Amino acid sequence: MTWMIELEHVTKLYGTVLGVNDMTLQLAPGAWGLLGPNGAGKSTLLNLLIGQLRPTRGTVRVLGQTPRNNAALMRRIGFCPAFEGMYAGVSGLEWTTWLLQLQGVRKNAARERAAQCLERVGMADSMQRPIASYSRGMRQRTKLAQAIAHDPELLILDEPLSGLDPVGRAQMTALLKDWIAAGRGVLIASHVLHEIEA
């Protein structure tokens, strides 16, 4: 069996500060939650899984592969970060299209797919506006749209419901339930238990 996520004695140190400490686990394909308070190491672990960080010790495997500097694996993963790494002067449609083009999708097809995904997350009326004019919840929806746009096998989501109002939370929870029902993998990091339970 190929594990969705496999960690063997993974430790990540930031100088003398422990980010992740000797973590070993194997997660089968499916839906998983990563719970913990702010500062517990959730984002560090997710950044190890997407190859942004290299473990100080141990081995990280995602979908059977090492994530560090692995462009082919990154095409199979959708990532929604907790941080706001968006360009304020472009529209949500332009930003999502551009990220799809980085995945190798041609411009016209990327724009069409980006529009579909933005509509799916409830951004149909605002996708042409500059990101600078978006509320926090709208930026969160746009980040989720880009995470699903290239149709990945696995979604890795860092606080994906943060900043959403109750309607938005219900809509995104329904979207993620549909994603899981289609047989795709999801790992959601949150400090809110009821979000993970939902």
Side-chain angles (χ1 to χ4, degrees), residues 72-189:
L73 177 61
M74 291 306 106
R75 288 186 190 98
R76 299 171 64 194
I77 297 172
F79 180 58
C80 181
F83 66 88
E84 295 284 334
M86 304 166 85
Y87 293 108
V90 302
S91 70
L93 179 60
E94 290 169 320
W95 184 72
T96 307
T97 299
W98 181 66
L99 290 174
L100 271 171
Q101 287 180 268
L102 288 176
Q103 293 281 358
V105 180
R106 293 181 186 229
K107 186 173 184 176
N108 289 341
R111 189 173 177 87
E112 183 178 327
R113 177 65 181 162
Q116 291 169 355
C117 290
L118 285 160
E119 287 175 19
R120 187 172 178 192
V121 299
M123 289 293 292
D125 295 335
S126 303
M127 70 174 83
Q128 300 279 2
R129 288 177 28 204
I131 290 172
S133 71
Y134 288 1
S135 68
R136 186 170 175 212
M138 293 166 80
R139 292 193 306 272
Q140 199 68 16
R141 288 172 185 263
T142 303
K143 288 191 299 181
L144 188 55
Q146 68 77 31
I148 64 173
H150 61 287
D151 203 27
E153 295 171 47
L154 170 61
L155 283 179
I156 297 177
L157 310 174
D158 196 355
E159 304 284 354
L161 305 181
S162 176
L164 292 173
D165 60 25
V167 171
R169 284 172 185 260
Q171 290 171 336
M172 294 310 104
T173 299
L175 185 151
L176 292 174
K177 285 180 178 179
D178 290 346
W179 188 270
I180 293 161
R184 296 179 183 169
V186 178
L187 176 63
I188 303 173

Side-chain angles (χ1 to χ4, degrees), residues 15-31:
T16 59
V17 177
L18 262 170
V20 172
N21 186 21
D22 194 27
M23 189 172 211
T24 297
L25 64 83
Q26 295 170 322
L27 299 181

Side-chain angles (χ1 to χ4, degrees), residues 6-24 44-45 48 53-61:
E6 187 173 13
L7 307 175
E8 292 180 30
H9 300 289
V10 171
T11 296
K12 176 61 183 173
L13 295 168
Y14 299 100
T16 59
V17 177
L18 262 170
V20 172
N21 186 21
D22 194 27
M23 189 172 211
T24 297
T44 294
L45 178 60
L48 288 164
L53 294 175
R54 181 185 320 223
T56 308
R57 287 190 284 273
T59 304
V60 176
R61 291 200 174 283

